[in-house]
Amino acid sequence: QVHVAESVGRLVQAGGSLRLSCAVSGRPGSSYGMGWFRQAPGKDREFIAAIEWSSETTYYGDSAKGRFTISRDNARDNPKNTVYLQMNSLKSEDTAVYYCAVAVRGPNNLVSAKSYDYWGQGTQVTVSS
């Protein structure tokens, strides 16, 4: 059974930084890609960033460009596919529940939520102004 687990989010002051991590277990081998989405109260789920696992090609949503960086764990002895989201210069509008997702098959459009097969439970990030 595939399990996707995000790290615990927290309260951050505006202008601060936070790194989220996401680990996938229960699936042999590498996935096609992993991504981050977020959803703020009353808003639709928004694409933040994604990475193709083998090529490490990255994609960013408009709200993430220039401030957020997605990366993957390259450790060969890491039994879990792990991806990170480094968030800098945080703003109050970044407050949302952040979700990690895994796309098993590719090639696929990693910007679309429909491309993902497994999702984490989400983690709350709150940015205070």
Side-chain angles (χ1 to χ4, degrees):
Q1 184 176 357
V2 176
H3 181 63
V4 181
E6 301 101 342
S7 57
V8 176
R10 61 182 177 88
L11 175 65
V12 184
Q13 286 192 334
S17 298
L18 180 65
R19 189 176 84 156
L20 299 178
S21 64
C22 174
V24 182
S25 59
R27 172 172 172 79
S30 297
S31 300
Y32 172 68
M34 294 178 68
W36 289 95
F37 291 75
R38 71 184 183 188
Q39 188 165 20
K43 295 188 177 181
D44 293 333
R45 187 165 295 191
E46 176 188 10
F47 169 73
I48 298 300
I51 185 168
E52 292 182 11
W53 198 257
S54 58
S55 68
E56 297 190 62
T57 301
T58 57
Y59 306 88
Y60 292 96
D62 289 340
S63 60
K65 290 177 182 176
R67 298 189 301 128
F68 296 0
T69 303
I70 188 170
S71 61
R72 51 161 284 187
D73 190 332
N74 290 321
R76 292 185 178 181
D77 58 351
N78 185 3
K80 301 180 180 180
N81 291 353
T82 303
V83 67
Y84 304 97
L85 184 67
Q86 177 67 43
M87 303 185 291
N88 299 326
S89 303
L90 285 163
K91 308 173 184 178
S92 58
E93 49 263 45
D94 294 318
T95 296
V97 177
Y98 285 71
Y99 296 90
C100 177
V102 181
V104 172
R105 294 168 295 274
N108 221 329
N109 177 14
L110 293 178
V111 174
S112 172
K114 296 179 180 179
S115 297
Y116 294 86
D117 303 286
Y118 302 99
W119 291 79
Q121 295 288 338
T123 187
Q124 176 69 47
V125 174
T126 303
V127 182
S128 63
S129 57

